[in-house]
Amino acid sequence: MNSIFANPEKSIAAKLIIATGLLIVVFSFLFWYATLKKQEQDIMSIAVKYGDSFVNFAKESTHNSMLSLDKTQTQRILENLSTPEGVQRVKIFDHKGNVEFSSDQEEVGNEVDINSMSCRGCHTDPVTGTLSPSPKKWSKYKDKKGSTSLKIVSQIYNDVSCSSASCHVHPEEQKILGFVETDLSLALLDEALFKQGLALTAYVIIFVIAVSLFLGIINYKIVTNPVHKLSDGMKQVAGGDLDHPVQIDSIDEIGVLASTFNSMIKDLKAAAGQKARWTQTLEEEVAKKTEEIKRTQTGLIQTEKLASLGRMAAGVAHEINNPLTGVVTFAHLMRQRCKPGSDDAEDLDVIIEQAERCAKIIKNLLTFARATPSEKGKIHINNVITKTMTLVKNQEKFHNVKFHMDLADANLVTDGDGTQFQQICLNMFLNAADAMNLRGDITVKTHQVEEKDKPFVETIFTDTGSGIKEEDLPKLFEPFFTTKPVDKGTGLGLSITHGIVKHLGGSIRVKSTLGQGTSFFVRLPLIKQEI
Amino acid sequence: MKKVLVIDDEPIVRLSSKRTLAPEGYDVTLADSGREGIEILERETFDVILLDLKMPDMSGIDVLKVIMEKWPGTKVIIVTGYSTVDTAVESLRLGAYNHIEKPFTPNSLLAAVKEVFDKKD
Ligand SMILES: Nc1ncnc2c1ncn2[C@@H]1O[C@H](COP(=O)(O)OP(=O)(O)O)[C@@H](O)[C@H]1O
Ligand SMILES: [Mg+2]
């Protein structure tokens, strides 16, 4: 609690305590002062009342001796009256201020001071006798010992017994015969008042201290402590710790603030979690994209590899054509010179046959390597497929193959050279026939697909052949990859197909189940479709 | 005498052509480059010219252009290793009479050459 008063301008609690404390002190002081005054007043009015009774008693006591004009008796009564403790003096003076009797004998014969309260209590001007509108019959003063004294003055009226008395001292017209004045000591009351004041002061001080303490504790409990907890909590949150809600169970404003703060922490935590999840998703997304890029890159490298292989193959093929011309020519020439049916003739036939095979391989290689399409044009996918199918159907190789056409109704068109797509179809049909041992079904389906928001025409070639072994799949599109016997496969068909598809801006995929069949998916960019 | 000029940088192709055509009664002259072929053409005229497209210093297309400019109407048969439609169309457009693919057989070569004379007659 000390700390909050070190810098009061920085502490709500200190401000509150100081403000309420000040208020309490001021009000307590006012209360204390008012109470003291009131007590004094009450006591005074009681004192005055008793004083009045005493004065009346004095008047009564002296009435007879006065009537009988017994001055000694009157003097004696006054002396007797002043014997009790507290009665300081009793005197009687006439309207002119001459002291006629007094418990203090020395005073007798003196004149009452015209400016004293004894005269001025009733007369604003004692000389002319002007009466005050609010006469005052008593006054309070400090005596020589310093204690409070009460002076009471009372008129002695000219009642019937006086005016009709045998002495005839006072005429009937005289209303007031004189005054009884008494001085009463209030020392005892002073003491009582002082003691009471002391007690009151003590009570007030204790009250102030107790209330201040109580307020301080309350303040500390309901303001300082929770506010500290809140600010600590906020510091923690600022430091990034979202796991410690503020423990304030009250339902007052600070409690509400705390619960709002806690729900804010909860939201923050949720947001942080969300952020973490997003980061995670983002990372996953990045990883996915990276993987995609890697795959594309691998694909590109693969394509690049195929292309450079193609260029190399083309160069080699071209060079081989020349010596091959020699081989073919001279074999033929020799063959012509041989006797038909001779061993030499048969041997030369083998040479010629093999040389022609070489020529065929080279031709394939050159087709594969041909980078640019010979003609720019439009490929009408369905037309080319049907045409190619009719072309091969009549060949012996396809006599036991059944074709199923599942072609799109629309006329799907892509950019390119029709013969190139024909070559693709041809390769697909030849491979399918081989895979099915020349017996089975080939299904060709065409339809439109979307890839990355771009339209493509997809042609699916499905056969009921042997299928492709898992380990062969990655090598499928490489030039010279073949599983066929030496005299049957060149391993160029699919690489040519791949090259053409790539060139046309498309893609080729394969799906195969061993023992059941294979599907090739050829996608080419769709430029238009005519219904 | 039916005169044939073979322009090819490959000795084996020149030899093959000569050995195929000579026995059939053609007078075969050989040139191992486009430049030499044109030099020969400056002195003599030929009924048929066999022209290779892929040669080192002067390409067959360039030689064809010169021939067609200087001696229009000359029958030139293009002999090429890669008979793409492109080059075939290009050479035909430039005035070549025909084209055959390498490797050729004696029969295909003879047929192509013979066609020129058959048309002529
Ligand atoms: N439809 C198919 N069914 C099964 N295997 C196939 C099919 N198409 C291609 N293949 C496999 O791919 C290899 C390469 O095919 P390709 O490039 O056309 O060369 P080739 O047909 O000369 O072998 C084939 O040898 C074969 O093993
Ligand atoms: Mg094949």
Side-chain angles (χ1 to χ4, degrees):
Chain A
M1 256 186 89
N2 274 335
S3 62
I4 64 171
F5 291 108
N7 282 312
E9 69 276 7
K10 284 188 188 167
S11 166
I12 297 175
K15 284 179 192 164
L16 273 173
I17 289 171
I18 288 171
T20 46
L22 255 156
L23 222 70
I24 289 165
V25 167
V26 167
F27 276 101
S28 301
F29 174 76
L30 288 176
F31 168 79
W32 170 83
Y33 183 76
T35 313
L36 273 186
K37 279 283 150 216
K38 178 88 170 75
Q39 249 174 15
E40 207 184 318
Q41 251 172 34
D42 287 351
I43 284 171
M44 272 318 286
S45 73
I46 291 168
V48 169
K49 220 162 126 193
Y50 282 110
D52 274 344
S53 306
F54 178 73
V55 169
N56 283 335
F57 174 63
K59 271 197 256 178
E60 223 106 297
S61 306
T62 52
H63 190 66
N64 284 332
S65 59
M66 292 286 270
L67 278 182
S68 57
L69 292 174
D70 186 347
K71 289 193 176 187
T72 331
Q73 177 70 0
T74 308
Q75 175 67 26
R76 243 195 34 232
I77 292 169
L78 288 190
E79 274 167 28
N80 283 340
L81 277 172
S82 69
T83 40
E85 200 197 343
V87 181
Q88 287 171 322
R89 187 172 27 196
V90 185
K91 61 181 170 194
I92 293 170
F93 57 92
D94 65 15
H95 215 157
K96 290 193 185 82
N98 296 318
V99 178
E100 284 173 44
F101 308 96
S102 176
S103 54
D104 183 0
Q105 280 188 23
E106 281 166 34
E107 249 191 329
V108 178
N110 285 358
E111 243 180 50
V112 174
D113 180 4
I114 199 161
N115 284 321
S116 73
M117 175 277 221
S118 314
C119 301
R120 292 214 172 251
C122 285
H123 300 283
T124 41
D125 186 354
V127 184
T128 56
T130 317
L131 282 172
S132 157
S134 51
K136 197 170 170 251
K137 291 178 178 170
W138 60 269
S139 81
K140 199 177 75 173
Y141 66 94
K142 294 272 177 212
D143 63 14
K144 286 167 211 136
K145 282 183 245 157
S147 51
T148 312
S149 294
L150 180 66
K151 187 192 283 290
I152 296 177
V153 183
S154 181
Q155 302 96 313
I156 302 167
Y157 290 102
N158 187 7
D159 60 9
V160 184
S161 59
C162 296
S163 56
S164 60
S166 56
C167 56
H168 305 293
V169 174
H170 304 293
E172 210 175 318
E173 316 80 58
Q174 194 176 1
K175 269 188 176 164
I176 293 166
L177 303 179
F179 302 88
V180 178
E181 187 193 285
T182 175
D183 288 276
L184 300 169
S185 167
L186 298 183
L188 279 176
L189 286 178
D190 266 356
E191 201 180 326
L193 258 177
F194 177 73
K195 275 185 187 159
Q196 266 191 21
L198 215 63
L200 186 69
T201 309
Y203 289 149
V204 166
I205 286 171
I206 288 169
F207 170 77
V208 166
I209 288 172
V211 167
S212 296
L213 244 135
F214 180 71
L215 272 176
I217 288 167
I218 294 274
N219 240 322
Y220 181 76
K221 278 261 182 235
I222 65 175
V223 181
T224 312
N225 201 23
V227 166
H228 267 181
K229 274 184 180 174
L230 261 178
S231 80
D232 284 350
M234 283 179 191
K235 273 182 208 146
Q236 255 177 348
V237 169
D241 181 0
L242 299 176
D243 290 323
H244 294 96
V246 179
Q247 298 290 342
I248 297 174
D249 297 327
S250 63
I251 52 164
D252 57 17
E253 287 89 337
I254 290 181
V256 171
L257 188 63
S259 69
T260 310
F261 179 69
N262 283 344
S263 71
M264 191 189 80
I265 296 178
K266 225 167 88 187
D267 289 352
L268 267 177
K269 205 175 162 185
Q274 179 82 336
K275 203 177 100 194
R277 272 197 298 285
W278 279 342
T279 313
Q280 170 95 22
T281 339
L282 198 68
E283 270 165 14
E284 277 166 15
E285 200 63 24
V286 167
K288 222 166 81 190
K289 282 276 177 261
T290 312
E291 177 64 23
E292 220 167 78
I293 289 169
K294 230 164 148 183
R295 239 185 298 125
T296 315
Q297 221 167 28
T298 320
L300 272 177
I301 291 167
Q302 180 77 355
T303 314
E304 193 54 37
K305 206 168 95 188
L306 289 180
S308 61
L309 250 165
R311 278 193 295 279
M312 199 187 79
V316 171
H318 197 81
E319 290 312 311
I320 283 173
N321 267 334
N322 290 323
L324 212 53
T325 307
V327 173
V328 170
T329 304
F330 285 92
H332 272 285
L333 293 176
M334 269 180 87
R335 174 71 171 75
Q336 282 162 16
R337 287 199 298 271
C338 290
K339 255 191 257 133
S342 67
D343 283 356
D344 283 351
E346 273 172 32
D347 291 354
L348 282 167
D349 279 342
V350 174
I351 292 176
I352 289 164
E353 205 178 284
Q354 292 309 306
E356 271 163 6
R357 214 185 115 214
C358 288
K360 205 173 99 190
I361 292 170
I362 284 158
K363 219 178 142 180
N364 271 338
L365 262 180
L366 286 173
T367 318
F368 162 69
R370 201 157 53 206
T372 49
S374 41
E375 275 173 54
K376 269 282 171 195
K378 303 267 172 280
I379 304 174
H380 296 261
I381 298 289
N382 290 347
N383 292 356
V384 176
I385 291 169
T386 323
K387 231 164 72 187
T388 315
M389 195 251 315
T390 356
L391 205 80
V392 297
K393 223 157 71 175
N394 298 320
Q395 287 184 17
E396 205 192 319
K397 195 169 183 169
F398 291 90
H399 276 171
N400 294 314
V401 173
K402 258 189 94 176
F403 282 94
H404 305 274
M405 293 289 137
D406 179 11
L407 304 181
D409 290 334
N411 178 19
L412 303 166
V413 183
T414 180
D415 265 329
D417 180 356
T419 55
Q420 287 184 312
F421 187 61
Q422 181 165 10
Q423 195 160 14
I424 293 173
C425 297
L426 217 81
N427 278 329
M428 291 295 145
F429 293 155
L430 289 170
N431 282 343
D434 285 339
M436 300 188 297
N437 275 322
L438 312 185
R439 188 178 292 275
D441 300 284
I442 294 177
T443 308
V444 187
K445 178 182 162 71
T446 58
H447 63 148
Q448 191 191 326
V449 291
E450 297 277 321
E451 192 180 310
K452 287 170 189 148
D453 289 338
K454 284 192 199 121
F456 279 82
V457 48
E458 185 173 67
T459 311
I460 309 168
F461 300 90
T462 307
D463 63 56
T464 54
S466 59
I468 302 166
K469 281 192 222 141
E470 184 87 41
E471 68 256 36
D472 287 344
L473 285 174
K475 298 175 275 180
L476 218 59
F477 297 102
E478 280 179 17
F480 307 114
F481 172 75
T482 179
T483 56
K484 293 168 194 173
V486 189
D487 56 333
K488 281 223 174 118
T490 59
L492 287 170
L494 283 182
S495 62
I496 290 169
T497 303
H498 185 269
I500 294 172
V501 168
K502 282 280 155 194
H503 183 78
L504 294 177
S507 64
I508 181 164
R509 275 188 312 122
V510 61
K511 219 185 222 168
S512 186
T513 315
L514 215 58
Q516 281 186 22
T518 306
S519 289
F520 280 93
F521 302 78
V522 178
R523 278 187 184 182
L524 297 173
L526 181 69
I527 60 153
K528 67 172 175 193
Q529 52 170 323
E530 295 155 358
I531 308 288
Chain B
M1 197 66 165
K2 297 160 182 169
K3 286 178 76 179
V4 178
L5 175 63
V6 178
I7 308 174
D8 200 310
D9 62 316
E10 269 286 327
I12 186 65
V13 179
R14 292 199 298 272
L15 188 59
S16 297
S17 309
K18 187 170 181 155
R19 288 293 297 273
T20 304
L21 296 170
E24 299 296 320
Y26 293 96
D27 177 10
V28 181
T29 307
L30 304 176
D32 61 9
S33 71
R35 219 166 297 283
E36 199 196 341
I38 290 166
E39 268 170 36
I40 294 168
L41 278 168
E42 302 277 4
R43 302 190 299 265
E44 297 173 46
T45 46
F46 290 86
D47 299 301
V48 175
I49 298 168
L50 293 175
L51 178 60
D52 184 19
L53 270 192
K54 193 174 173 268
M55 287 184 292
D57 58 346
M58 199 178 170
S59 85
I61 293 286
D62 293 340
V63 177
L64 181 64
K65 280 178 187 162
V66 174
I67 293 173
M68 285 302 133
E69 202 188 289
K70 286 193 167 171
W71 306 281
T74 312
K75 304 286 184 282
V76 180
I77 296 173
I78 300 294
V79 184
T80 174
Y82 50 172
S83 68
T84 63
V85 183
D86 275 353
T87 46
V89 166
E90 158 108 83
S91 53
L92 290 179
R93 199 175 54 77
L94 286 172
Y97 181 80
N98 203 350
H99 72 96
I100 59 171
E101 282 179 26
K102 279 186 201 174
F104 50 78
T105 59
N107 285 343
S108 58
L109 182 62
L110 279 171
V113 173
K114 219 165 137 261
E115 202 202 328
V116 180
F117 292 100
D118 288 351
K119 282 263 170 75
K120 240 187 193 172
D121 300 336

